[in-house]
Amino acid sequence: MITATDISKRFGDLEVLKQINMEVDTGKVVVIIGPSGSGKTTLLRCLNLLEQPESGSLTIDTQTIDFRDKISKHKIRNFRRLSGMVFQTYNLFPHFTAIENVMEGPVIVQKVKKPEARQKAEGILAKVGLKEKADTYPYQLSGGQQQRVGIARAMAIDPKVMLFDEPTSALDPELIGEVLRVMKQLAEEGRTMVVVTHEMNFAKEVADEVIFMDEGAVVERGTPLEVFEQPKEERTKRFLNLLK
Ligand code: ADP
C-alpha cells in the first residue's frame, strides 16, 4: 500500500531524513519509534506531503510521486486524499461541532451532499464511541474525546492509509487508553496504519513492524519481538534501556 524509496529531506543545513526506505503492506500497522528530533514526524508528514522531500519517490495505492519532478498542486491534492492524518494536538475546528468537524472533509473535499455526509459522520462518530457528542463543540470535550473526533475526521474521507503523529502525547495519562483502544480497533479491522508514538506497549501489541529511527535514519526494523526483545543495534538498545 505504501512504498517510500530513498526519501531525503533537509531543513536548511540540517539533514532531517537520510534516504529512508519503507514499505507498508495493505492492512498492516507500522509503528515508528525513536528519540525526539530523530525525524519521525517529518517522515510521517512526508507521507502525506505536508512536507516535500528533496528526493526519493513515494507510492500510495496506485499513485506515485517522484520528488525530483515538479509536482502540480492538483497532484498534491489528489495524493493527500489517500491518507488521513491524526495530529498530536487534534487540529479540530473550534467553531464546528464534533459532527461538523467530521463532515468537513467529505463536504468540502469530496463534494458529498450534507445530509449524506451527516449520516456517514454519525456512523463514524459511533465507531469512536462519541455518538452522544455529535453536536458538542471541541471546548466541551475532554482531550481524549477531542482526539477521537480527530480520528473520526481522518477516517471520514475513506483514506487508504491512516497516519498518526504522536496521537496521545498531549493527553493526560488517564485519557490515553481510550484513544489507544480506538486505534487498536482500527488495526483489528485491517486498516493500513503508520503510527509515530512513545507508547511502547501499544507498539508491542499492535505493530506488525517496528521501525527505530535515530538522527534521520532507520537504525533497525523488525517485528516487535525482534526490536524490543532482541535488538541488534547498540543505539536501539540504548534507547530502549532509557525507557526502562
Ligand atoms: P521527531 O518527530 O523524531 O521528534 P522531527 O521530525 O519533529 O523529529 O524533527 C527532526 C528534526 O528536524 C529536528 O531537529 C527538528 O528540530 C527539525 N525540524 C522539524 N521541522 C522543522 C521545520 N519546519 N523547520 C526546521 N527544522 C525542523
Side-chain angles (χ1 to χ4, degrees):
M1 183 57 81
I2 306 176
T3 305
T5 309
D6 289 337
I7 299 283
S8 295
K9 170 77 188 165
R10 330 176 58 95
F11 289 117
D13 287 340
L14 188 67
E15 220 181 337
V16 180
L17 297 177
K18 302 167 188 165
Q19 297 197 308
I20 303 280
N21 289 290
M22 83 187 265
E23 280 196 12
V24 188
D25 287 340
T26 304
K28 299 293 182 195
V29 178
V30 171
V31 171
I32 304 174
I33 62 170
S36 183
S38 57
K40 306 180 298 296
T41 291
T42 304
L43 174 58
L44 203 68
R45 290 170 65 86
C46 286
L47 295 181
N48 87 338
L49 308 187
L50 285 172
E51 301 290 351
Q52 258 193 49
E54 281 89 44
S55 60
S57 66
L58 176 63
T59 301
I60 297 183
D61 195 29
T62 57
Q63 294 189 41
T64 296
I65 284 190
D66 186 329
F67 292 109
R68 279 159 306 188
D69 297 343
K70 191 166 161 36
I71 308 162
S72 69
K73 287 207 170 90
H74 176 74
K75 180 138 196 187
I76 290 177
R77 246 193 332 264
N78 281 341
F79 206 86
R80 240 181 227 154
R81 288 180 197 176
L82 297 169
S83 56
M85 184 91 157
V86 177
F87 298 90
Q88 187 174 353
T89 49
Y90 332 131
N91 283 21
L92 302 180
F93 294 109
H95 54 293
F96 283 178
T97 61
I99 197 158
E100 286 167 350
N101 267 284
V102 180
M103 289 165 60
E104 198 256 358
V107 170
I108 304 294
V109 180
Q110 295 173 319
K111 312 287 179 213
V112 176
K113 296 261 183 318
K114 274 195 174 171
E116 193 186 322
R118 180 171 288 273
Q119 199 179 14
K120 186 169 167 197
E122 280 170 359
I124 300 173
L125 279 175
K127 233 177 147 62
V128 299
L130 291 174
K131 193 170 170 217
E132 315 302 326
K133 300 288 183 187
D135 298 317
T136 308
Y137 286 91
Y139 75 90
Q140 298 168 308
L141 296 170
S142 72
Q145 290 169 334
Q146 288 185 57
Q147 187 58 298
R148 285 188 279 148
V149 176
I151 294 173
R153 201 178 60 170
M155 288 163 67
I157 56 162
D158 297 318
K160 295 284 179 184
V161 303
M162 292 195 60
L163 309 174
F164 295 82
D165 185 14
E166 298 193 27
T168 59
S169 56
L171 295 173
D172 290 334
E174 72 272 21
L175 302 177
I176 290 175
E178 65 189 68
V179 172
L180 294 180
R181 269 194 296 281
V182 169
M183 290 168 62
K184 195 172 168 192
Q185 182 193 325
L186 297 179
E188 283 165 358
E189 284 172 11
R191 285 176 193 267
T192 310
M193 296 166 48
V194 182
V195 183
V196 173
T197 188
H198 297 288
E199 294 294 328
M200 297 302 150
N201 285 329
F202 175 84
K204 283 178 196 170
E205 264 184 64
V206 181
D208 294 291
E209 183 181 53
V210 176
I211 293 180
F212 171 64
M213 283 181 69
D214 194 16
E215 297 180 350
V218 174
V219 174
E220 187 158 356
R221 66 203 327 156
T223 63
L225 186 72
E226 286 164 345
V227 174
F228 289 114
E229 308 301 333
Q230 302 145 6
K232 292 189 188 70
E233 302 294 330
E234 276 313 310
R235 273 195 283 179
T236 318
K237 290 180 193 168
R238 253 197 324 257
F239 175 73
L240 294 173
N241 275 332
L242 285 174
L243 301 175
K244 281 187 182 151

